[in-house]
Amino acid sequence: MRLAAKVAVITGGSNGIGAAAAVLFAREGAKVVVADIDADAGRARVAEIAAAGGEAVFAACDVGVTDDIKSALQQAVDTFGGLDILFNNAAIQNTRSILETSDEDFDLSIRVNLKSVFVGIREAARLMIAQGRGGAIVNTSSSFAIVGSPGYAAYHATKGAISSLTRAAAIGLMEHGIRVNAICPGTIDTPGLRRGVATTADDPAEALDRYLALQPMKRFGTAEEIAQAALFLASPEASFVTGENLVADGGYTIV
Ligand SMILES: NC(=O)c1ccc[n+]([C@@H]2O[C@H](COP(=O)([O-])OP(=O)(O)OC[C@H]3O[C@@H](n4cnc5c(N)ncnc54)[C@H](O)[C@@H]3O)[C@@H](O)[C@H]2O)c1
């Protein structure tokens, strides 16, 4: 098992990519804290992991609130005896264009998507340094950190900043044996993607077909495929990898 005896906190672990990572990390031997605002789905994820013989707990956590992040990380220490991995994955997807984005939209995206990653890295690193056994932090950026699009103005800004922050944190924490990397998913079939399409498109089915036509592989990625990329970066197999933005997008950004 690739994460045997490791303790992992996964934000946004109740649904989508985070949920797939919670299940996968637990299958690979990690004890998992599922940190999310969606308690029902989070508890379902914990039950799913337990039914498969793994160990997990749910932490009620709004990543836009510093104290919530701190208490989710502390829960890992209190329940499982330490912290080895933080997957900074939760985010909101504001679909608005630059002209439609209000100050409030922008501030909210910065707080929930970006500041959460900064606070998560800082607080996890403090705990990891005190433990003295290093650690691995994985941040969820996006292919939208690399290419532009007509909408998602605030979202693009936060993801670009996460990719850059990942490099800075990797250098800053290297001396403590803490690796910091990011994944840049392309279009992934998750509840978040479908919710975004349903709330913005007049004809969601037609919009999904349009997105599909843009995919070089002629399909969307799955949450499990992104969880596998996060697993690699979190695992000892990536021991010489830090500051990397691993693109998992079916070729979306290379065409
Ligand atoms: N799906 C895609 O196409 C795609 C592409 C690139 C990047 N991403 C990124 O992947 C990550 C996961 O996206 P997803 O598609 O799985 O989304 P999702 O909406 O399916 O799941 C997101 C999870 O985050 C939780 N969450 C939302 N706000 C939160 C908050 N304030 N505090 C704690 N938890 C919160 C939700 O409850 C949910 O469980 C995000 O960072 C997203 O930006 C997704």
Side-chain angles (χ1 to χ4, degrees), residues 216-228:
M217 289 191 181
K218 301 299 169 209
R219 69 173 179 87
F220 297 131
T222 66
E224 289 71 24
E225 287 174 308
I226 304 307
Q228 288 286 355

Side-chain angles (χ1 to χ4, degrees), residues 6 49 60-61 68 95 107 118 138 158 194-195 202 219 227:
K6 304 285 188 197
I49 290 168
C61 170
D68 280 14
T95 57
D107 287 346
F118 158 69
V138 181
T158 61
R194 288 187 177 262
R195 200 171 45 248
D202 294 334
R219 69 173 179 87

Side-chain angles (χ1 to χ4, degrees), residues 90-172:
I92 51 171
Q93 286 148 39
N94 189 315
T95 57
R96 295 196 182 104
S97 70
I98 189 88
L99 292 175
E100 295 165 332
T101 301
S102 67
D103 284 18
E104 291 74 22
D105 287 336
F106 197 79
D107 287 346
L108 182 65
S109 291
I110 292 289
R111 182 164 63 81
V112 174
N113 294 9
L114 176 58
K115 188 179 171 206
S116 63
V117 172
F118 158 69
V119 170
I121 294 171
R122 184 188 64 198
E123 296 304 321
R126 286 178 175 163
L127 288 172
M128 288 167 176
I129 291 166
Q131 282 175 176
R133 61 178 196 240
I137 298 173
V138 181
N139 305 318
T140 304
S141 181
S142 171
S143 55
F144 277 12
I146 301 163
V147 295
S149 74
Y152 295 88
Y155 182 80
H156 275 282
T158 61
K159 294 301 184 178
I162 288 170
S163 287
S164 185
L165 176 62
T166 296
R167 287 185 285 269
I171 294 168

Side-chain angles (χ1 to χ4, degrees), residues 12 14-17 36-38 61-64 89-93 112 140-142 155 159 185-188 190-193 195:
S14 294
N15 299 285
I17 291 167
D36 205 293
I37 48 172
D38 184 345
C61 170
D62 178 347
V63 294
N89 167 74
I92 51 171
Q93 286 148 39
V112 174
T140 304
S141 181
S142 171
Y155 182 80
K159 294 301 184 178
T187 312
I188 312 304
T190 63
L193 174 73
R195 200 171 45 248

